[in-house]
Amino acid sequence: MTTTDSRPALRFEDPESQALYGATYEAALENLLGTNTVPFGEIHARSGLMNPAVGMVRAGGGYEQPWTRDATINSWNATSLLAPALAANTLWAVVEKDAGGKLRLQQDSQQWDQVVWTVGAWHHYLVTGDRDFLQSAFDVVTNTLALREQAAVFGPDAHYGLFTGPSFFNDGVSGFPAPTAYGGESRGSESTSYPDIVSAMYLSTNALYYAAYTCATSMADTLGRPADGHRAKAAAIKQAINQHFWNPRTGSYDYELTADGTPGAYQEGTGLAFTLIFGIADAAQASSLISNAQRMTWGMPDTYPHWDRYSNAEPGRHNAIVWPLVQGLWAKGLAKHGDVEGFATETWLLAKLVRNSGGFWEIYDGNTGAVEGGYQGATGVLKRGWDSQPDQTWSATAFIDMMHTGLFGMTFDDRGLTLAPSLPPGWGDVTLSGLRYRDAGLTVTLRGEGNVIRSFELDGRPGTEFVVPASLNGDHTIAIMLDPSRS
């Protein structure tokens, strides 16, 4: 098995920054490209597109499979850039063929948020420029979106124009206010066991559908293939999200809308992050939701506040508790909208959690920072504590993405790699060396602080667009000077 991965080196001139951020980055690379890169089995090769010489990325310790959401998040966060062949295999590992031979995402018991794969697949193309990958990926996306439209309420005949089903990655019932039927949580831990959850609408899932339609449109335009109305569907769902989830009273987006139209003025970390990352929130909304976001001592929680059946002593597994996955997405959104201080805080918290716990755990107590798996179940024998699993890949790639997308401000499009850094005060100058981007090897140095570029030099030549062309070959150096006085 080969991975053909790239392990860049991150070096801060400040010793304390290096001991915290540099060391955590190195550990995250080992987690992704060492610990959690594994061979794949026959069950993962249902698409017929896997490269037998390359492994795949598993979800982490305790989870040998690459769930659709994990495969996508890890490719989007890091793997597509660091190990493109490994990322492609991991994305294909959650794809299958139907009885007629059409490619689609695996149809398992957790299908509501599977369209997140579209975001990862489009990002993979932008990073690699692999049109063969994109051709097959577009088939997967087109077929899967058609399936989801049949299965979930959406469209002009639906009252709200939103998709039903649980929220992103919250497969446990603890991620939702207590179900009103069937004795609370008496049907077990799976959120899909409860009709009032399945029939409701949630911010993160609908934000993902907006992103999926947007990415599907870009795929079609790039390939010169019919877009099947994806552009119009994206516009419609964005409008519906802002109509039904935006809450002027709280200055933020609500978490849920029940089937009868009752809004739940709760907060969802990934939902808020997605509105920033995907551009659903306009500038005023973004500033408002960032300033009004409710955070815990150790970071942005999954959902908030505690539901009545949970507490600080017994936090819900998908409730007021900290998942590094959520921290990473939130930090990505903050950096995109210029909140250097907020980005720095969330990144510092995750680095400290990793150092204090000795690894990349699945979940942490939001108040104490201790490793904590959380609780599910309402009372008595139904309520039990769950384990927080070790070596979680998306916890590690969350930190890698904090460095790549947040600190160095990396974004990708057909032109190439754009850099828009956010270097927090006190972190000191930093260099990322040995970074492979397509056919180029890059060494990028940031000096100063803040997020306003005073000068940008590629191989010593000044530039004004801050872009590394996709056609670049060979080894190159980039020097960026940041000037806080101009922010």
Side-chain angles (χ1 to χ4, degrees):
M1 183 184 71
T2 61
T3 59
T4 317
D5 62 62
S6 168
R7 297 201 188 193
L10 185 67
R11 179 61 58 182
F12 290 85
E13 293 188 13
D14 178 78
E16 292 185 5
S17 294
Q18 181 59 29
L20 182 59
Y21 304 115
T24 304
Y25 181 79
E26 184 175 354
L29 292 178
E30 177 58 26
N31 176 291
L32 170 64
L33 301 173
T35 303
N36 288 314
T37 294
V38 298
F40 67 87
E42 185 176 341
I43 191 174
H44 306 114
R46 294 162 293 174
S47 67
L49 296 169
M50 302 281 283
N51 181 345
V54 180
M56 68 175 191
V57 176
R58 65 175 184 171
Y63 305 120
E64 293 301 318
Q65 70 272 51
W67 278 310
T68 300
R69 64 178 71 96
D70 294 74
T72 300
I73 291 294
N74 290 323
S75 297
W76 183 22
N77 278 349
T79 322
S80 290
L81 177 62
L82 298 177
L86 180 64
N89 254 21
T90 304
L91 291 167
W92 293 137
V94 296
V95 172
E96 64 184 16
K97 292 181 179 178
D98 66 12
K102 289 184 176 180
L103 293 169
R104 65 183 186 182
L105 287 168
Q106 60 188 6
Q107 299 300 293
D108 53 27
S109 63
Q110 299 185 9
Q111 301 174 34
W112 65 85
D113 65 342
Q114 65 182 197
V115 296
V116 67
W117 192 91
T118 310
V119 177
W122 176 240
H123 175 77
H124 184 82
Y125 165 73
L126 292 178
V127 172
T128 65
D130 187 342
R131 288 182 67 89
D132 290 337
F133 172 90
L134 188 63
Q135 291 278 4
S136 296
F138 185 66
D139 291 337
V140 174
V141 168
T142 299
N143 296 333
T144 302
L145 279 171
L147 287 172
R148 298 311 305 147
E149 288 172 1
Q150 295 168 15
V153 178
F154 176 71
D157 295 330
H159 183 68
Y160 299 105
L162 296 165
F163 280 88
T164 57
S167 51
F168 171 66
F169 99 91
N170 288 328
D171 52 1
V173 67
S174 58
F176 306 88
T180 56
Y182 310 106
E185 297 183 51
S186 61
R187 287 195 169 196
S189 64
E190 291 287 336
S191 59
T192 50
S193 298
Y194 299 88
D196 43 356
I197 293 175
V198 174
S199 63
M201 294 146 279
Y202 294 91
L203 177 61
S204 58
T205 296
N206 280 280
L208 285 174
Y209 274 94
Y210 166 72
Y213 283 124
T214 301
C215 291
T217 300
S218 297
M219 289 178 172
D221 291 346
T222 299
L223 295 170
R225 294 174 62 176
D228 295 330
H230 296 325
R231 183 176 285 103
K233 291 174 183 177
I237 201 166
K238 179 178 180 180
Q239 180 180 8
I241 290 170
N242 279 307
Q243 178 181 350
H244 297 296
F245 286 104
W246 180 255
N247 188 332
R249 182 179 61 82
T250 62
S252 189
Y253 289 94
D254 292 337
Y255 170 40
E256 70 169 352
L257 185 71
T258 60
D260 66 1
T262 303
Y266 312 109
Q267 175 183 285
E268 182 195 15
T270 55
L272 294 182
F274 287 153
T275 66
L276 298 175
I277 294 166
F278 301 139
I280 294 169
D282 63 25
Q285 289 172 315
S287 296
S288 177
L289 74 86
I290 289 171
S291 64
N292 289 303
Q294 300 296 304
R295 298 173 57 259
M296 300 186 76
T297 302
W298 283 95
M300 173 59 78
D302 180 357
T303 57
Y304 196 81
H306 289 293
W307 314 138
D308 290 341
R309 61 204 191 273
Y310 301 119
S311 64
N312 285 341
E314 295 183 339
R317 180 171 173 82
H318 289 284
N319 189 198
I321 202 165
V322 170
W323 292 66
L325 157 71
V326 180
Q327 290 182 293
L329 291 168
W330 179 241
K332 185 199 294 275
L334 293 176
K336 179 177 179 178
H337 284 270
D339 186 351
V340 178
E341 181 180 358
F343 159 74
T345 297
E346 206 69 44
T347 304
W348 181 86
L349 288 170
L350 179 51
K352 293 287 285 187
L353 285 171
V354 172
R355 186 164 75 177
N356 292 348
S357 65
F360 292 91
W361 292 83
E362 184 179 29
I363 318 173
Y364 296 87
D365 187 295
N367 293 309
T368 68
V371 174
E372 170 62 70
Y375 287 76
Q376 291 197 103
T379 57
V381 296
L382 294 175
K383 192 172 188 178
R384 69 176 178 89
W386 289 53
D387 292 332
S388 177
Q389 297 293 339
D391 296 325
Q392 293 304 284
T393 318
W394 65 11
S395 297
T397 64
F399 190 81
I400 295 172
D401 189 59
M402 285 171 163
M403 297 296 99
H404 291 175
T405 301
L407 178 59
F408 284 88
M410 298 181 189
T411 58
F412 302 86
D413 58 26
D414 285 330
R415 296 186 306 158
L417 163 61
T418 299
L419 297 164
S422 294
L423 180 55
W427 283 25
D429 298 344
V430 57
T431 297
L432 183 66
S433 59
L435 179 71
R436 297 297 308 176
Y437 167 59
R438 299 198 182 189
D439 294 324
L442 305 177
T443 296
V444 185
T445 298
L446 306 180
R447 300 192 184 281
E449 62 184 53
N451 60 1
V452 177
I453 296 177
R454 187 176 74 191
S455 66
F456 179 99
E457 294 183 350
L458 176 59
D459 297 329
R461 296 187 298 273
T464 57
E465 291 195 330
F466 318 142
V467 175
V468 179
S471 59
L472 203 64
N473 292 282
D475 294 334
H476 300 272
T477 61
I478 298 166
I480 299 175
M481 178 62 71
L482 299 162
D483 186 354
S485 68
R486 298 173 59 188
S487 61

